[in-house]
Every structure is written in structure tokens, then in C-alpha cells.
């Protein structure tokens, strides 16, 4: 029931862009994105509730394709502070959340 | 600000012991969750609760039980700890279903 995230890890230089994908085998009601820095708790980034909806948060944005049961997180002009592990969380009509295995993002100077 | 606290940051127990992990939130949230986090596996849902005295199994409930006697407190119980339960345990809460989840700092449990 866990959504599948790809890639598992990515290394970037400052200023480069990245895309993290999240897909589910079940119909989705919403998709959440969280970031966890080393040794800290996950922190909420954004929720996408409608199919095709795109949301932005500084230079981090996301899309949600309800039909394809997929979401993508876009990080543009990456900064050192973007480093961490990104998790997508998917919610179906049972109102319970399932998280993916995470994508470890490393931004280097 | 929402605050989710967990009773211990680090815990070491012996095989067969009964272990209690406590989680408290201070924002009157309806929903509370317990996850375990292991390298490469992400956050796996153990149990969740959407109301006092209500509980639902997640993906990996075997070997665990939970208790929610008060709205603000959600306890995870390992009836007889085993070495394969060595992990990081994260508690989270949300106001309603579908709302953002707020996580506690986690408890790193080691079972010897």
C-alpha cells in the first residue's frame, strides 16, 4: 500500500533542478509532501487535493495527476538548505496516510 | 505552534520486556498516528486513531498494540519486545483526516 518514490537518491549542485516522483496503485484523495533533515522529524511542505492541481512553496512546487495516481515534486534552483529526505504521503478514501520510502536529496556547493 | 512530544528520545530494552512509548499533542487534534522508520523503508504506519478509544491497524500492526484513553495521548505498546522491533518510532497528529501531520521528535528504540 506504500506509494513508490523515484529516484531513491539524487545529488545536485547548487542551482540545479530536480524532480521527485510518487506513484500509487490505489485511487488517491490527496498527496502530501514532507521533508526530513538528518536527525529531525519530518516537516510538512504541501498538500495537493485536486487532480491536476499544482502548488508552490518558494522554489518548490508539486503537481498531482489524479487519473494517473501520480504526483511530482519540483525543486528549482536548488539551495544547500534543500538537502534532506523527501517523503510523499498518499491518502485514499479511508483517510489513512501511507508514506513512500523516501528520496534522499543532497545539494553540494 | 503545534507541539507533539514523545516520552523518550532513546530507549534500550531487553527481549521479552513490555515497552510503552507515549505521545502527547497539545492542539486538540482528532487524529494520531504511530510510524516506524527504517533505512530504505521510509515511514510505515503501525496504527492510527481518529477518536478517543478508536484505533485502526496500519500496515505493520503485528507485535504492537495501542491505547488512546484521552484525546491528547496516544500510546504504543510492545507486548513482548523483540530484536526486530529495534527502530525509530515516530508519532504524528493532525487536526482532521487529510490535514497536514505534525511529527514528534521520535524515539530510537534498541531491543537487545
Amino acid at each position: 500500500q506504500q506509494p513508490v518514490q523515484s529516484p531513491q537518491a539524487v545529488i545536485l549542485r547548487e542551482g540545479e533542478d530536480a524532480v521527485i516522483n510518487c506513484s500509487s496503485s490505489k485511487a488517491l484523495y490527496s498527496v502530501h509532501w514532507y521533508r526530513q533533515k538528518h536527525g529531525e522529524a519530518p516537516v510538512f511542505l504541501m498538500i495537493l487535493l485536486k487532480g491536476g492541481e499544482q502548488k508552490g512553496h518558494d522554489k518548490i512546487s508539486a503537481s498531482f495527476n489524479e487519473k494517473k495516481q501520480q504526483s511530482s515534486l519540483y525543486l528549482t534552483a536548488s539551495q544547500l538548505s534543500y538537502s534532506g529526505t523527501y517523503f510523499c504521503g498518499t491518502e485514499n478514501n479511508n483517510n489513512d496516510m501511507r508514506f513512500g520510502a523516501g528520496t534522499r536529496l543532497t545539494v553540494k556547493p | 505552534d503545534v507541539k507533539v512530544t514523545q516520552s523518550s528520545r532513546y530507549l534500550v530494552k531487553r527481549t521479552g520486556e513490555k515497552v510503552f512509548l507515549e505521545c502527547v499533542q497539545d492542539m486538540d487534534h482528532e487524529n494520531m498516528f504511530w510510524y516506524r522508520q527504517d533505512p530504505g523503508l521510509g515511514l510505515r504506519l503501525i496504527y492510527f486513531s481518529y477518536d478517543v478509544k478508536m484505533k485502526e491497524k496500519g500496515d505493520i500492526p503485528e507485535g504492537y498494540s495501542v491505547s488512546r484513553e484521552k484525546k491528547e495521548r496516544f500510546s504504543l505498546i510492545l507486548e513482548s519486545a523483540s530484536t526486530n522491533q529495534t527502530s525509530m518510532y515516530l508519532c504524528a497528529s493532525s487536526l482532521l483526516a487529510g490535514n497536514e501531520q505534525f511529527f514528534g521528535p521520535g524515539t530510537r528504540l534498541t531491543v537487545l
Side-chain angles (χ1 to χ4, degrees):
Chain A
Q1 291 202 30
Q2 280 186 285
V4 177
Q5 283 185 239
S6 63
Q8 290 184 328
V10 58
I11 300 173
L12 300 173
R13 294 283 180 192
E14 266 188 299
E16 291 182 337
D17 302 340
V19 179
I20 300 171
N21 299 302
C22 175
S23 64
S24 174
S25 59
K26 302 181 84 173
L28 299 176
Y29 175 75
S30 70
V31 178
H32 298 217
W33 286 96
Y34 292 77
R35 176 172 63 205
Q36 183 179 32
K37 292 187 178 283
H38 184 69
E40 299 179 8
V43 173
F44 169 78
L45 292 176
M46 64 190 78
I47 295 176
L48 299 103
L49 293 174
K50 297 179 183 178
E53 182 180 10
Q54 283 195 307
K55 279 201 158 191
H57 179 75
D58 194 10
K59 291 181 181 174
I60 301 174
S61 61
S63 63
F64 177 24
N65 188 319
E66 193 177 334
K67 279 189 178 178
K68 291 186 177 180
Q69 296 163 191
Q70 293 176 345
S71 177
S72 294
L73 186 72
Y74 307 95
L75 301 101
T76 56
S78 59
Q79 306 166 16
L80 294 176
S81 62
Y82 286 4
S83 291
T85 300
Y86 289 78
F87 293 99
C88 70
T90 55
E91 185 185 21
N92 56 34
N93 289 336
N94 290 333
N95 296 325
D96 51 336
M97 182 77 72
R98 296 295 192 276
F99 285 93
T103 296
R104 177 175 287 183
L105 179 76
T106 304
V107 182
K108 295 187 173 181
Chain B
D1 276 353
V2 176
K3 194 168 184 183
V4 180
T5 57
Q6 294 184 229
S7 49
S8 305
R9 290 299 303 270
Y10 300 94
L11 207 54
V12 180
K13 295 292 181 180
R14 297 216 174 266
T15 301
E17 281 192 80
K18 190 169 186 175
V19 182
F20 294 87
L21 302 182
E22 304 285 338
C23 175
V24 178
Q25 50 93 4
D26 65 357
M27 283 300 290
D28 204 34
H29 282 181
E30 300 288 330
N31 299 316
M32 296 188 75
F33 307 83
W34 274 108
Y35 299 92
R36 65 177 280 176
Q37 184 173 21
D38 300 288
L41 298 177
L43 299 163
R44 291 183 292 166
L45 182 64
I46 305 171
Y47 270 97
F48 67 102
S49 167
Y50 51 87
D51 200 354
V52 176
K53 296 191 185 294
M54 303 300 290
K55 60 185 179 184
E56 294 286 342
K57 292 180 180 180
D59 292 332
I60 51 166
E62 297 79 19
Y64 304 95
S65 62
V66 289
S67 171
R68 194 170 181 199
E69 296 296 319
K70 293 185 178 181
K71 193 174 186 179
E72 67 270 18
R73 188 180 297 269
F74 193 33
S75 302
L76 180 70
I77 303 152
L78 288 68
E79 295 290 340
S80 177
S82 63
T83 54
N84 62 15
Q85 292 179 309
T86 291
S87 185
M88 170 68 82
Y89 290 88
L90 288 164
C91 173
S93 72
S94 67
L95 179 60
L96 297 169
N99 289 172
E100 67 176 281
Q101 293 191 12
F102 295 85
F103 285 84
T107 295
R108 184 165 294 282
L109 173 68
T110 302
V111 183
L112 302 174

